[in-house]
Amino acid sequence: MKLLKPSWVSHNGKPIFSLDIHPDGTKFATGGQGEDSGKVVIWNMAPVIREEDEKNEIIPKLLCQMDNHLACVNCVRWSNNGLYLASGGDDKLVMVWKRAALIGPSTVFGSSSKLANVEQWRCVTILRNHTGDVMDVAWSPHDVWLASCSVDNTIVIWNGRKFSEIIATLKGHTGLVKGLTWDPVGKYIASQADDHSLKVWRTMDWQLETNITKPFSECGGTTHVLRLSWSPDGQYLVSAHAMNNSGPTAQIIERDGWKTNMDFVGHRKAVTVVKFNPKIFKKKQKNGSTPKPSCPYCCCAVGSKDRSLSVWLTSLKRPLVVIHDLFDKSIMDITWTLNGLGLLVCSMDGTVAFLDFSQDELGDALNEEEKNTIHQNIYGKSLAITMESQLSTTIIENPEMLKYQQDRQGNQNPNAAQGSSAENQTPKLTNVLNGQSLEDIRKNLLKKQVETRTADGRRRITPLCIAQLDTADFSPALFNSVPILPGSSASTQLTPQISSDSNTANSMGLRPSHEPSTTTSPNKTTEDNKDSGAAPVNSIGMKSNLLLTSASKIEPMKALDSRFTERSKATPGVTSIPLTMCITPLDSHRVKDSKEPKGKDETSSDSEDKIMVKSLSMAKRKGEMEGGEVVEKRKKGRPRKDAKMMMPTSQPFPQTTVSTSVGPVEPSRSAAPVVVFKLPTPSLQKSFSTQVGTDAITYLEVENEISVVSGARLSQLKWSREGREWETLLPSRIMIATGSSDVVAIACEDRTLSVFSACGRRLIPSIMLPAPMSALHCSGHFVMVLMTSATLSVWDVQKQAALVKNESLNAILSGTDATVNQSLLTQQGVAVVGLSNGKTYCFNSSLETWNLIADKQDSLVQCADFRNCVSSQDALGAMGPLALTQGRNLSAGRLASRLSSAPHLLQQGMTLAFLENQLSSALILLSANEYRHWLLIYTRFLVNEGYEQRLRELCQDLLGPVHKSTCSSWQPTVLGLRKRDLLTEVMPVIGQNLRFQRLFTEYQDQLELLRLK
Amino acid sequence: MAKVQVLNVAVLDNPSPFGNPFQFEITFECMEDLPEDLEWKIIYVGSAESEEYDQVLDSVLVGPVPAGRHMFVFQADAPNTGLIPESDAVGVTVVLITCTYRGQEFIRIGYYVNNEYTDPELRENPPVKPDYTQLQRNILASNPRVTRFHINWEATMDKMEDSENVDPTPNSMLPPTSMPGKAPPLGLMPDNSMDCL
């Protein structure tokens, strides 16, 4: 083992609370206290690893520093994909950083450091929710979620795919929550708090799985952090500070039953941080010795308040190494390199140490595949199927795939570390200077700038735009008084990489310890400080410019110093630690004189509360108003008493119109016990009105027995749409009236059915039905009739043909005591019948069968999880008759966690079966949109889970025969969609997984061929 | 996260005679189009002892500000010498550049300023009544002190109006009954009255 303390990694002596090595191993982030704010710094890893790089002045050490946090940064964590950095601090905020386009080195204006920012990282989101200091943040496996914990006793789970969205807030701790760790399998998240407890929460429902208190009962809240860690195989969770026989320990908690029988003992003070090595190891095979099977083991580093660090292997009873007196103060955070051989530690004393192990010491790291096998064996699922790190080892075999992958990377993550194209970024800041140099412009800026007077006589300057920002991805680059350099010079120097394979790890040359090399002399700085007496830490160059010789001249500066940081009178009451929320003068006056931070906090929460209340009441008011509108609309609609009969006034997607109606069946059913296979009839009303149609709202008004002409009773039907009206008279009393945009259907008491066109022209002479009507639907030019004899008919009025003729519902009703509680007709003329037992069937006229399309009790629906296969734009495609009949069940399925209690293999199978069900259901319902929607999800699922056979079959069906052949029964379209268009749509999905690159190429080529034909 | 980042301030015409206007070339970057103007102010601290002697040299609206990187020169007349306590005319003081958005200050850039006689004779024996024509103003441009404040960048209309409508009578002890807590404390002048100076 080699040990190094890189003295240049420092926050000017201020404490470093957290550090994390980037997944690609080229850089690491530190977080801690800045001058008068929190500070996040990104450092180059190469100078830590190689001495020659450290000495090479061309290689930058500091890559970027961000002082946006208003108070001390307690935690920095890279996302697993390396795209984001999350930081949490005492300012109650979590910031998420993303690398911006390269635009050249820069410094933070006004900061003491003259070092340039080589990389630009900009804050893409600020996550505000916590009401206290954020102590720890953690990305879930696959970066689906980001968790943050705080001294406000809560843990917030943020949506890692859509920031600012809160998935859950985990409440239950009664003390400051100081550490978080995700289960590598993704099933749990564990948190440790000052309330003498460690809690494990389920990610499936975000409820408490277990609460472990016994090992912590003796613990005092003496540590700043309690960073716990989960072993990479998921089998063990190791806590920070625990007590055993009055001695500080790190408690080992077994996943199996959450047993707490073991601990790491030996530290003299509380354990602040535990960090598992990301690798699983197996014993190094010695040359010559016969290979014997050895059990894989994990490696774990433990840091403590006693300033010492211990490294343990789970295969050994004693620690592998213990290093005392490494720091002057408590250890705060530990991070491992991805290859598992390097380790960075930081301390409250503001220094960082790097430990480098050899393979002889730790053992042979299992590769991803072996690690996956272990996961597969334990949990029945592999974690890394779609992990990019694994894909990157696959060789791209053809240029088209390469191009596709590059495009994709370019779109998704322009700054991705793994991308081969990531280095050749073009600056996103477009210069708008028309060829003029910035220097020229600056010379004449005062003369040239546009200055006007506002109406009230104030000066108004139109600033000169020197660069436009690509708002999609730009840089908040901070630069010094140098003109902008086109392109970057320094960034190209950043070549050294630590790759995760062990060869390079071997070649890493490390030396035992090292003197500070080229840092700016700290003595000089302190001298300056003494001179000025005003203690501006950032006072480099002060002496040379300002002739401060006499002590009397220095005196006023002390007094002046406060002026730099105090806000102007315009917004008084706020000192240099500003508040999360803006304080309005109204609030701030009240606390003008309260200097204690506590007072300020109260104010901030006060004002927040106020704003909250205000917005709440606004929302409420809005809601009321909307409510009012709805009521009004209803009035206009003149609904009949049974509101359920009404058509929805506005359906979100008119193209997938479905006419639903439940009303007529229900009321009478509840009135009298239903005879099996005998459907109820709607009650006869004197008059009623109903609203039909979707694109143009149509009102049907029925008035029975309006006039008695020579003993005959007539009933009137009144139709109105957008000011147009017609009326018709019928000899019998009208029981049900319904219509679509094309037709109007009327069922009368005398078992006749009349069908009119939208203009009131009778299309068919009265149809005599074999039994009284139970339900009647119109959709497009289709009319569906459900009769009390439990038979169904569907006609196509336009073609004057029967689609379904007196089909009995016996098939679906027999053997159950269920009744029909829903029936509808899709736009394509497919009859759908929903039963009270939660099953929904549709009748397929070509097969002449009843097909089950939805079942509320279907466990497949409950357990299938395809969440990660649904993209946001898919949401629209999900609307249609299938979604309508399945309704809420579907969303339940979507909520079921990918990592739910079911074993993965089983769940995979269930999801597959479910998706195939959906696909065939959409097909049988003739719902093209939904078919496409589910096809895409199905493909994504196949791609993600690696079902090559099915994928191939699917592609083959979509492609069809490339050459014309007469004997082929292949249909070029499905539900009116061209299959080859669908295939073209599906191809990019397949291209996402490099495993299928041959399949991708094969079909891409053939599609291309067909296109040329 | 501030929508506006000040990237650089270059102090022009420095050092210069005391009576010359201040000139700051300010470069800033804006993350997204701002619907409202930024308001920049130069405040000259007349005396370290009291804020009473602060002078707003000028305030200027800057806009429109689309997303991007912008620069402008902010020029403001030298301070009114009549408002500077004689004992504080010579020596070190401070000039502040502040920027507010929707009435909220989000950045304050401070520079030390050293006013001294160029003539060694005068330096040795400064006149009791300062001779401003002989004074040289030297801004310590290399050491800006930047303080950033967190503000609400989003529109909160009613709050904004409140701050604009603060009763401008500075010495009123009695707060208007309808707006408790809004009256400025004694001796504190609200924003708009400062502009009048």
Side-chain angles (χ1 to χ4, degrees):
Chain A
M1 187 200 74
K2 293 164 185 171
L3 181 62
L4 166 78
K5 282 192 85 172
S7 58
W8 45 269
V9 180
S10 89
H11 286 196
N12 293 333
K14 298 252 168 39
I16 298 179
F17 282 101
S18 178
L19 82 181
D20 198 29
I21 298 175
H22 191 274
D24 75 357
T26 58
K27 51 186 158 246
F28 64 98
T30 56
Q33 187 66 50
E35 305 301 340
D36 48 7
S37 62
K39 194 174 189 179
V40 177
V41 187
I42 297 171
W43 306 89
N44 196 355
M45 194 71 190
V48 177
I49 295 167
R50 270 177 297 272
E51 191 174 5
E52 56 266 37
D53 287 344
E54 188 178 22
K55 285 180 176 156
N56 188 342
E57 291 195 7
I58 304 163
I59 295 176
K61 295 185 175 65
L62 187 147
L63 300 179
C64 185
Q65 54 177 329
M66 299 88 94
D67 51 3
N68 301 49
H69 268 286
L70 303 165
C72 184
V73 175
N74 292 316
C75 189
V76 286
R77 293 289 180 261
W78 296 100
S79 64
N80 297 296
N81 61 15
L83 282 179
Y84 296 102
L85 175 71
S87 60
D90 283 354
D91 54 4
K92 307 166 193 169
L93 306 177
V94 176
M95 296 195 182
V96 181
W97 306 84
K98 187 171 191 261
R99 189 164 169 196
L102 307 168
I103 55 147
S106 65
T107 58
V108 177
F109 175 66
S111 109
S112 61
S113 165
K114 294 297 161 200
L115 288 167
N117 278 347
V118 175
E119 292 183 358
Q120 309 300 341
W121 288 79
R122 79 179 176 98
C123 178
V124 285
T125 352
I126 298 183
L127 307 176
R128 304 164 204 272
N129 188 258
H130 287 295
T131 54
D133 308 1
V134 177
M135 299 309 293
D136 207 4
V137 293
W139 295 88
S140 77
H142 304 279
D143 304 324
V144 183
W145 301 297
L146 174 67
S148 61
C149 67
S150 161
V151 301
D152 66 10
N153 301 358
T154 66
I155 300 148
V156 173
I157 311 292
W158 307 87
N159 186 346
R161 303 268 153 88
K162 197 172 144 218
F163 279 121
S164 302
E165 185 183 300
I166 295 175
I167 301 279
T169 304
L170 313 184
K171 290 180 183 157
H173 276 295
T174 53
L176 323 180
V177 190
K178 291 181 168 176
L180 284 175
T181 185
W182 290 91
D183 159 28
V185 189
K187 212 170 150 182
Y188 304 110
I189 179 169
S191 59
Q192 195 174 349
D194 268 353
D195 60 1
H196 315 293
S197 78
L198 185 156
K199 297 190 198 293
V200 179
W201 315 78
R202 288 185 296 268
T203 58
M204 190 176 60
D205 52 6
W206 304 111
Q207 296 303 308
L208 191 66
E209 165 80 16
T210 185
N211 184 23
I212 297 156
T213 55
K214 201 167 144 262
F216 310 104
S217 52
E218 297 174 55
C219 293
T222 56
T223 58
H224 187 81
V225 289
L226 294 167
R227 304 199 204 272
L228 63 176
S229 182
W230 215 303
S231 66
D233 61 2
Q235 288 301 89
Y236 298 100
L237 170 65
V238 179
S239 79
H241 188 34
M243 296 289 262
N244 186 356
N245 275 328
S246 320
T249 61
Q251 183 66 46
I252 300 170
I253 297 148
E254 287 173 62
R255 185 193 193 93
D256 186 14
W258 310 114
K259 290 192 282 279
T260 54
N261 300 327
M262 297 177 287
D263 47 20
F264 292 125
V265 195
H267 281 285
R268 283 160 293 155
K269 285 185 181 170
V271 170
T272 49
V273 49
V274 175
K275 195 62 155 271
F276 266 100
N277 191 313
K279 291 283 179 192
I280 301 172
F281 295 91
K282 60 175 187 278
K283 215 162 181 88
K284 181 136 183 88
Q285 299 295 343
K286 293 210 174 65
N287 284 341
S289 70
T290 48
K292 51 179 179 190
S294 70
C295 198
Y297 55 87
C298 296
C299 170
C300 178
V302 179
S304 157
K305 231 185 143 183
D306 69 4
R307 303 178 287 122
S308 66
L309 175 82
S310 56
V311 179
W312 306 72
L313 299 180
T314 52
S315 60
L316 299 177
K317 288 217 164 108
R318 322 209 106 250
L320 183 71
V321 62
V322 181
I323 306 161
H324 293 291
D325 299 323
L326 193 56
F327 299 103
D328 297 332
K329 286 184 181 164
S330 168
I331 289 176
M332 295 306 290
D333 204 0
I334 300 171
T335 174
W336 288 91
T337 58
L338 204 63
N339 67 16
L341 295 174
L343 171 70
L344 273 171
V345 198
C346 72
S347 158
M348 190 89 103
D349 71 6
T351 63
V352 162
F354 181 66
L355 272 70
D356 181 47
F357 294 93
S358 71
Q359 270 181 296
D360 287 334
E361 288 158 341
L362 294 187
D364 285 331
L366 299 186
N367 59 30
E368 284 302 307
E369 211 166 296
E370 290 168 308
K371 199 169 150 182
N372 280 340
T373 318
I374 290 181
H375 283 137
Q376 197 96 48
N377 289 342
I378 304 175
Y379 309 105
K381 68 184 283 187
S382 156
L383 299 177
I385 280 174
T386 53
M387 255 169 69
E388 307 230 351
S389 61
Q390 198 196 20
L391 289 180
S392 61
T393 58
T394 315
I395 297 160
I396 296 177
E397 291 171 358
N398 69 78
E400 219 161 302
M401 191 67 188
L402 181 71
K403 187 168 163 287
Y404 173 73
Q405 288 284 341
Q406 281 176 345
D407 285 354
R408 196 175 139 245
Q409 228 145 24
N411 289 337
Q412 284 186 342
N413 44 1
N415 305 309
Q418 301 104 325
S420 52
S421 58
E423 298 304 312
N424 332 317
Q425 293 278 317
T426 49
K428 284 276 162 57
L429 256 159
T430 41
N431 212 308
V432 290
L433 301 180
N434 298 329
Q436 275 184 289
S437 85
L438 194 64
E439 279 307 312
D440 287 346
I441 286 173
R442 289 174 63 181
K443 263 180 220 154
N444 298 316
L445 184 59
L446 182 59
K447 278 178 230 154
K448 282 192 175 167
Q449 74 187 8
V450 181
E451 189 172 318
T452 51
R453 291 269 167 185
T454 60
D456 52 350
R458 301 191 58 187
R459 289 171 67 195
R460 186 179 193 238
I461 296 173
T462 305
L464 178 79
C465 182
I466 53 171
Q468 280 172 343
L469 290 180
D470 182 345
T471 38
D473 182 43
F474 63 87
S475 154
L478 310 153
F479 70 106
N480 214 346
S481 54
V482 289
I484 311 161
L485 299 172
S488 158
S489 52
S491 58
T492 48
Q493 309 295 342
L494 284 174
T495 38
Q497 305 249 337
I498 308 175
S499 97
S500 54
D501 70 62
S502 48
N503 295 337
T504 32
N506 275 338
S507 65
M508 276 195 280
L510 274 193
R511 55 275 170 218
S513 81
H514 192 62
E515 280 296 296
S517 53
T518 55
T519 45
T520 48
S521 155
N523 294 335
K524 196 179 163 265
T525 328
T526 40
E527 249 173 35
D528 279 345
N529 288 345
K530 274 177 205 154
D531 275 359
S532 65
V537 190
N538 44 351
S539 61
I540 298 170
M542 176 140 192
K543 234 157 110 186
S544 53
N545 285 45
L546 196 56
L547 296 162
L548 296 167
T549 40
S550 73
S552 66
K553 282 182 179 173
I554 295 164
E555 232 12 77
M557 291 182 63
K558 265 182 192 162
L560 286 168
D561 248 20
S562 65
R563 309 299 293 280
F564 290 133
T565 49
E566 270 170 25
R567 223 191 258 229
S568 76
K569 288 150 194 162
T571 47
V574 190
T575 48
S576 58
I577 307 162
L579 304 168
T580 325
M581 289 292 291
C582 140
I583 291 202
T584 62
L586 188 142
D587 290 320
S588 51
H589 276 291
R590 199 151 31 93
V591 283
K592 168 74 172 112
D593 295 314
S594 78
K595 290 281 183 212
E596 307 98 32
K598 205 184 165 195
K600 269 184 266 167
D601 283 350
E602 278 168 11
T603 327
S604 83
S605 52
D606 267 11
S607 62
E608 267 173 72
D609 284 354
K610 248 176 218 167
I611 292 162
M612 284 283 283
V613 168
K614 200 175 265 176
S615 63
L616 260 175
S617 63
M618 287 261 290
K620 205 175 159 191
R621 227 178 302 148
K622 206 177 160 199
E624 280 165 9
M625 273 178 50
E626 277 168 4
E629 271 169 25
V630 170
V631 170
E632 197 137 306
K633 253 183 207 160
R634 285 213 182 124
K635 269 182 198 154
K636 257 192 213 160
R638 282 166 287 174
R640 47 181 276 186
K641 278 161 206 146
D642 182 4
K644 282 173 198 156
M645 181 66 182
M646 244 175 64
M647 287 291 294
T649 42
S650 63
Q651 284 201 348
F653 293 93
Q655 70 271 23
T656 52
T657 314
V658 178
S659 43
T660 45
S661 95
V662 188
V665 182
E666 249 172 3
S668 47
R669 184 165 48 88
S670 54
V674 177
V675 190
V676 183
F677 308 155
K678 174 98 173 132
L679 299 182
T681 49
S683 55
L684 192 68
Q685 283 162 297
K686 171 81 177 69
S687 68
F688 60 91
S689 75
T690 180
Q691 193 182 344
V692 296
T694 48
D695 35 357
I697 295 164
T698 310
Y699 302 108
L700 290 175
E701 269 181 83
V702 168
E703 192 123 11
N704 286 327
E705 301 173 339
I706 45 158
S707 61
V708 181
V709 179
S710 61
R713 288 169 171 183
L714 288 182
S715 297
Q716 187 191 45
L717 171 76
K718 211 179 195 175
W719 178 99
S720 67
R721 175 193 294 171
E722 289 168 348
R724 291 186 294 132
E725 281 189 0
W726 53 262
E727 291 174 13
T728 188
L729 292 168
L730 291 154
S732 172
R733 288 190 292 178
I734 299 169
M735 296 188 68
I736 313 173
T738 183
S740 69
S741 51
D742 298 331
V743 295
V744 175
I746 307 295
C748 294
E749 205 183 12
D750 60 0
R751 291 197 281 138
T752 57
L753 174 73
S754 304
V755 181
F756 302 93
S757 79
C759 298
R761 187 167 52 88
R762 183 176 272 277
L763 294 173
I764 308 170
S766 288
I767 298 170
M768 195 61 206
L769 296 172
M773 183 83 61
S774 174
L776 173 67
H777 299 292
C778 282
S779 182
H781 40 81
F782 298 103
V783 177
M784 163 179 166
V785 172
L786 204 56
M787 281 155 286
T788 50
S789 55
T791 54
L792 171 91
S793 292
V794 177
W795 298 279
D796 182 335
V797 178
Q798 198 176 39
K799 289 186 184 148
Q800 304 260 340
L803 295 179
V804 181
K805 192 180 136 196
N806 280 341
E807 188 60 43
S808 168
L809 269 66
N810 284 4
I812 55 173
L813 285 173
S814 62
T816 68
D817 50 1
T819 54
V820 174
N821 65 356
Q822 191 192 21
S823 60
L824 59 90
L825 182 64
T826 75
Q827 194 76 340
Q828 288 77 24
V830 178
V832 178
V833 174
L835 301 188
S836 60
N837 61 6
K839 290 182 163 66
T840 304
Y841 299 87
C842 75
F843 189 79
N844 183 295
S845 42
S846 49
L847 291 173
E848 298 194 345
T849 51
W850 286 99
N851 301 88
L852 180 68
I853 54 166
D855 185 356
K856 288 201 168 82
Q857 275 86 52
D858 191 352
S859 48
L860 283 180
V861 183
Q862 311 295 336
C863 299
D865 182 26
F866 46 90
R867 253 189 323 175
N868 50 348
C869 302
V870 184
S871 70
S872 53
Q873 64 260 39
D874 283 348
L876 302 180
M879 305 302 293
L882 186 60
L884 205 76
T885 51
Q886 292 175 335
R888 261 165 288 123
N889 314 344
L890 250 191
S891 48
R894 226 179 267 164
L895 285 173
S897 169
R898 169 168 53 104
L899 313 155
S900 73
S901 49
H904 182 69
L905 267 180
L906 188 62
Q907 194 182 34
Q908 202 180 31
M910 287 194 287
T911 310
L912 185 73
F914 170 75
L915 289 175
E916 287 173 350
N917 276 350
Q918 289 297 96
L919 206 56
S920 55
S921 297
L923 200 61
I924 212 144
L925 280 172
L926 309 177
S927 173
N929 271 340
E930 284 177 303
Y931 178 74
R932 190 180 146 268
H933 169 75
W934 288 107
L935 181 72
L936 282 173
I937 292 176
Y938 178 59
T939 316
R940 260 185 229 121
F941 180 77
L942 293 183
V943 168
N944 284 356
E945 303 288 329
Y947 284 103
E948 185 159 0
Q949 286 309 316
R950 282 172 200 252
L951 206 54
R952 188 170 284 280
E953 192 188 71
L954 182 78
C955 289
Q956 193 53 53
D957 175 55
L958 290 178
L959 183 74
V962 184
H963 303 286
K964 278 213 173 75
S965 64
T966 44
C967 58
S968 166
S969 60
W970 185 75
Q971 297 290 321
T973 60
V974 55
L975 304 181
L977 300 166
R978 289 194 55 221
K979 282 184 177 175
R980 282 170 189 165
D981 290 348
L982 285 174
L983 183 61
T984 317
E985 236 177 304
V986 156
M987 287 319 288
V989 179
I990 298 172
Q992 273 166 17
N993 193 340
L994 273 186
R995 271 176 64 178
F996 296 122
Q997 57 171 317
R998 292 193 186 160
L999 189 82
F1000 176 85
T1001 318
E1002 186 183 327
Y1003 285 96
Q1004 188 77 358
D1005 284 352
Q1006 292 187 72
L1007 271 176
E1008 196 58 38
L1009 204 75
L1010 286 166
R1011 207 170 294 138
L1012 293 175
K1013 267 192 203 169
Chain B
M1 175 82 180
K3 286 188 184 170
V4 172
Q5 301 264 7
V6 174
L7 305 179
N8 189 46
V9 175
V11 182
L12 309 179
D13 188 26
N14 185 47
S16 70
F18 187 85
N20 274 22
F22 282 90
Q23 282 185 9
F24 296 100
E25 178 207 273
I26 298 165
T27 311
F28 63 96
E29 192 169 80
C30 184
M31 312 213 356
E32 55 195 76
D33 298 1
L34 295 182
E36 282 176 44
D37 287 355
L38 296 168
E39 181 180 4
W40 295 80
K41 267 184 218 165
I42 299 179
I43 300 167
Y44 186 81
V45 176
S47 168
E49 310 306 326
S50 165
E51 293 188 22
E52 221 177 301
Y53 299 104
D54 284 9
Q55 298 186 34
V56 176
L57 300 185
D58 206 348
S59 92
V60 64
L61 299 172
V62 170
V65 184
R69 190 173 280 181
H70 312 275
M71 66 197 301
F72 70 100
V73 175
F74 188 2
Q75 179 171 315
D77 288 338
N80 180 347
T81 53
L83 299 175
I84 302 171
E86 291 181 357
S87 56
D88 291 309
V90 179
V92 178
T93 184
V94 160
V95 64
L96 301 168
I97 304 167
T98 69
C99 189
T100 56
Y101 184 66
R102 298 188 199 272
Q104 310 162 85
E105 179 176 341
F106 65 91
I107 191 163
R108 158 170 296 218
I109 302 153
Y111 288 97
Y112 287 115
V113 178
N114 190 26
N115 296 313
E116 60 183 358
Y117 293 109
T118 42
D119 183 2
E121 185 85 351
L122 283 171
R123 215 184 277 186
E124 285 297 309
N125 304 302
V128 184
K129 192 165 172 61
D131 180 358
Y132 286 103
T133 57
Q134 295 296 310
L135 269 181
Q136 189 196 49
R137 178 181 65 217
N138 190 348
I139 301 170
L140 177 52
S142 59
N143 185 26
R145 297 287 307 272
V146 180
T147 312
R148 298 181 174 93
F149 304 99
H150 211 60
I151 63 161
N152 185 7
W153 289 89
E154 304 310 326
T156 41
M157 290 317 292
D158 35 17
K159 275 199 299 172
M160 251 256 310
E161 279 154 18
D162 282 351
S163 74
E164 300 269 314
N165 295 336
V166 171
D167 187 345
T169 51
N171 293 322
S172 144
M173 285 288 287
L174 294 165
T177 44
S178 58
M179 302 170 178
K182 212 185 281 177
L186 188 65
L188 244 188
M189 289 189 288
D191 186 19
N192 19 5
S193 63
M194 298 241 316
D195 294 345
C196 305
L197 289 172

